[in-house]
Amino acid sequence: MIDIIEIDEHRRLSLDDYAADARFVGAVANLRAETARFRFLLDGRTIWMVNSTAKGGGVAEMLPRLCALITELGIDIKWAVIKSDREAFFKLTKRIHNLIHGDLSGGVELGPEDAALLEEVNRENADSLRPHLKESDILVVHDPQPLPLGGMLKKSVGLSTVWRCHIGLDQRTDATNSVWHFLRPYIERYDRAAFSMAEYIPGFLEGRASIVTPALDPYSHKNRHLLLGKTVGVLCNSGLQPAYGATLANDDEYVHKVKRVMPDGSTAVPGEVGLLFRPIVLQVSRWDRLKGWAPLLDGFIRMKQGLGQDGEGKVMSRNRHRIAQARLVLAGPDPASIADDPEGVRVFREICSRYRELDSEMQKDVIILQLPMQSRKQNALIVNALQRSAAVVVQNSLREGFGLTVTEAMWKHLAVLGSSACGIRNQIRDGIDGLITNDPEDPDEIANNLWQMLGSPIWRYQMGRSAQMRVYEDFLIFKQVSRYLKLALSALGTERISWRP
Ligand code: UDP
């Protein structure tokens, strides 16, 4: 049974609230004026967003506010999430996800049994969504998990369809050729497709695909400004910092604490780990091999070891101190919340066992955190506070469709150490908004980049400033709303209709 997600709770902020902020007044006015010219084309229609999860990951992160703002613009939009209790389905879609990223580890071949499973789960979900739909509606399906559903519903309901793919690879490999060959029949039943980057559009979709860059909401709990007291309060209340006095945050909201992985493999509430006092190198992501966790850990260790190898005179004592004090925080969802993602659990365990092999001094400087996922708001505030506590945010992805974690950190005025993965290098201009590690599997390059960034606070500050401007200009939600509406219109084949003045 498909889940229709209630989006009312996210509607408390209106476009007027954004427009009351001098930074966003122009963007809101542009969006309203633009929408007023084509809204009549969407009258009487519902735009349906369909994806595979209501919590966790970039798509679920962005949809609630996007839907709320589109509703406020006078356009009917709903959000549905497909469901399945079949582990094999999630294993298969994970394989498809990895193949689109060019990862062959799950094998290349996708055969008729895979197609049958994908279709069966999608048929069940299509059947439960169908009664809600009408012919004039526009279905926007996100990512491969619900992909076959679009063709099924188009055939029976006749509505307009868009497939929005958030992942991709900027190269053609055996893996990508094989997975696009497998998915092509499902995609071709759609009226239109959209990708995050031009590099990801497979050849057979040329001329039929749009670009929709992801974006963030500057007023979301993940990205809103936090005063210092609030940041500290969130850290204290979630167990990331001992409170040395009363805090402002309401403890009732923080029933679920962050857990730290301990050297003996157990978990504990972290307590004092230096978040407020030391230069923190932070990566927050899902436990996915493609996020480059292991080489990041190795790179950090090498940076620390480099300190011992360098002659006393070579490193300025200030920098020596900074690097000696630096700590690495690796944060991701509590594995209990990702039981439907066995590979994620495996990756998490691998990182933990690498951690257990470190010597006890290094173990103090590496902090693996499991973030509670029960409350979206609490999780978002924890990520927000963690990012604001960091000196350097890293996103060492081997592959990355876009990388909202990068955008989030850039918006918070932080210099990010990204990788050359397509989504990341399209956000960070190397040396301007942050640094790019060309080979995210090379611990020496990571160590060197971390060393440079930690050792140059003024340069970091300048890069952070320019990073924030970059997000302001290109990656805020107002532009994204406009891009989605144009995408919906393109599925109707009306994008070339001359709009009313
Ligand atoms: N995220 C989170 N809690 C976690 C791990 C990740 O809220 O424990 C969020 C993160 O802040 C970001 C999103 O999940 O907003 C991940 O999006 P991204 O585009 O970076 O990667 P994806 O997960 O979609 O591959």
Side-chain angles (χ1 to χ4, degrees):
M1 281 288 281
I2 202 139
D3 253 348
I4 296 179
I5 309 290
E6 184 56 60
I7 47 182
D8 268 3
E9 59 167 299
H10 303 281
R11 292 180 59 186
R12 270 172 284 161
L13 275 176
S14 69
L15 279 166
D16 281 342
D17 294 316
Y18 290 96
D21 183 329
R23 294 171 301 169
F24 309 132
V25 69
V28 172
N30 286 344
L31 180 61
R32 281 185 162 138
E34 185 182 61
T35 315
R37 280 187 282 134
F38 60 70
R39 194 171 35 223
F40 74 100
L41 293 166
L42 295 168
D43 278 350
R45 304 177 194 275
T46 301
I47 300 175
W48 285 89
M49 297 284 188
V50 180
N51 78 322
S52 66
T53 173
K55 245 198 245 177
V59 180
E61 189 69 25
M62 144 207 109
L63 279 177
R65 187 58 57 97
L66 187 76
C67 292
L69 292 185
I70 291 178
T71 307
E72 202 194 326
L73 287 164
I75 294 156
D76 193 30
I77 185 160
K78 292 198 167 67
W79 176 17
V81 174
I82 62 157
K83 280 204 310 204
S84 173
D85 49 15
R86 297 175 62 172
E87 201 181 308
F89 173 72
F90 291 102
K91 270 196 180 145
L92 168 63
T93 57
K94 184 79 193 173
R95 238 173 95 209
I96 293 174
H97 176 102
N98 288 351
L99 285 168
I100 293 178
H101 281 301
D103 177 1
L104 281 172
S105 54
V108 200
E109 289 309 318
L110 288 160
E113 308 88 70
D114 298 314
L117 175 61
L118 193 64
E119 286 170 28
E120 202 178 312
V121 170
N122 271 274
R123 193 166 298 110
E124 287 159 14
N125 281 281
D127 288 345
S128 91
L129 182 58
R130 191 173 291 107
H132 301 277
L133 305 174
K134 50 189 187 304
E135 193 183 343
S136 57
D137 288 351
I138 304 167
L139 192 69
V140 181
V141 172
H142 295 261
D143 284 334
Q145 299 92 331
L147 171 60
L149 181 131
M152 292 168 183
L153 291 168
K154 179 155 191 73
K155 193 168 169 207
S156 52
V157 183
L159 76 188
S160 305
T161 51
V162 180
W163 186 51
R164 164 72 173 105
C165 183
H166 294 263
I167 50 180
L169 183 66
D170 51 336
Q171 296 157 29
R172 302 290 170 255
T173 66
D174 287 350
T176 62
N177 289 338
S178 144
V179 73
W180 288 124
H181 177 75
F182 176 80
L183 296 177
R184 182 171 177 165
Y186 304 114
I187 301 170
E188 291 201 317
R189 289 182 200 140
Y190 281 76
D191 296 306
R192 192 84 200 167
F195 290 79
S196 299
M197 304 280 147
E199 289 93 326
Y200 300 161
I201 301 174
F204 67 92
L205 279 175
E206 231 158 77
R208 279 195 297 153
S210 314
I211 310 295
V212 177
T213 323
L216 59 76
D217 171 12
Y219 283 176
S220 64
H221 292 301
K222 179 78 54 79
N223 294 303
R224 68 184 168 93
H225 181 67
L226 299 182
L227 291 173
L228 184 59
K230 176 75 178 174
T231 306
V232 173
V234 171
L235 295 178
C236 292
N237 282 264
S238 54
L240 282 162
Q241 178 65 46
Y244 300 113
T247 61
L248 273 179
N250 179 1
D251 204 27
D252 295 348
E253 285 182 10
Y254 291 83
V255 181
H256 304 284
K257 305 289 180 200
V258 175
K259 287 182 273 177
R260 178 182 181 186
V261 175
M262 304 307 285
D264 64 0
S266 65
T267 58
V269 175
E272 181 61 77
V273 288
L275 288 179
L276 296 177
F277 306 103
R278 289 169 176 261
I280 298 296
V281 175
L282 168 75
Q283 176 161 302
V284 187
S285 268
R286 288 180 296 107
W287 302 112
D288 184 320
R289 205 182 65 76
L290 296 176
K291 300 291 182 187
W293 294 104
L296 170 59
L297 175 57
D298 293 345
F300 179 83
I301 293 165
R302 242 168 248 195
M303 178 194 72
K304 287 275 191 178
Q305 288 166 340
L307 203 56
Q309 284 159 15
D310 248 303
E312 277 292 326
K314 283 200 190 157
V315 187
M316 280 198 325
S317 67
R318 237 183 355 209
N319 280 348
R320 175 170 290 278
H321 185 62
R322 276 193 195 107
I323 288 157
Q325 290 287 302
R327 285 193 163 163
L328 175 67
V329 175
L330 305 176
D334 184 339
S337 72
I338 52 164
D340 59 354
D341 176 13
E343 196 194 313
V345 175
R346 201 162 37 244
V347 169
F348 172 74
R349 290 201 182 122
E350 276 167 26
I351 298 290
C352 294
S353 63
R354 261 182 137 97
Y355 166 72
R356 282 200 297 277
E357 286 159 14
L358 302 178
D359 66 53
S360 59
E361 275 313 296
M362 196 66 84
Q363 279 175 338
K364 288 186 193 147
D365 288 337
V366 175
I367 297 147
I368 301 175
L369 298 178
Q370 306 179 357
L371 308 186
M373 300 299 283
Q374 289 87 346
S375 152
R376 206 201 311 250
K377 177 179 171 188
Q378 187 196 352
N379 180 268
L381 283 171
I382 292 171
V383 173
N384 192 341
L386 275 173
Q387 288 168 335
R388 289 181 194 281
S389 314
V392 176
V393 167
V394 185
Q395 192 57 54
N396 191 51
S397 307
L398 313 188
R399 307 265 187 263
E400 192 63 74
F402 184 70
L404 271 176
T405 49
V406 173
T407 335
E408 289 157 9
M410 287 170 76
W411 178 242
K412 295 177 181 94
H413 204 299
L414 286 159
V416 181
L417 174 57
S419 68
S420 55
C422 186
I424 298 180
R425 67 165 194 264
N426 271 286
Q427 295 188 68
I428 301 173
R429 293 163 299 180
D430 194 14
I432 299 174
D433 313 304
L435 281 190
I436 296 283
T437 301
N438 287 312
D439 179 359
E441 291 186 280
D442 176 3
D444 285 327
E445 192 187 349
I446 297 167
N448 188 39
N449 285 340
L450 283 176
W451 184 290
Q452 283 190 55
M453 289 179 88
L454 285 171
S456 325
I458 295 174
W459 188 40
R460 259 186 1 240
Y461 178 83
Q462 289 163 340
M463 290 196 290
R465 194 173 50 195
S466 127
Q468 192 177 48
M469 277 312 287
R470 174 128 176 85
V471 176
Y472 178 76
E473 275 157 18
D474 280 328
F475 305 125
L476 290 186
I477 193 164
F478 315 107
K479 276 218 171 133
Q480 197 192 27
V481 168
S482 157
R483 288 179 186 130
Y484 265 100
L485 291 176
K486 286 177 184 152
L487 179 65
L489 290 174
S490 73
L492 297 174
T494 50
E495 82 270 35
R496 280 182 214 91
I497 290 178
S498 59
W499 293 332
R500 279 182 198 160

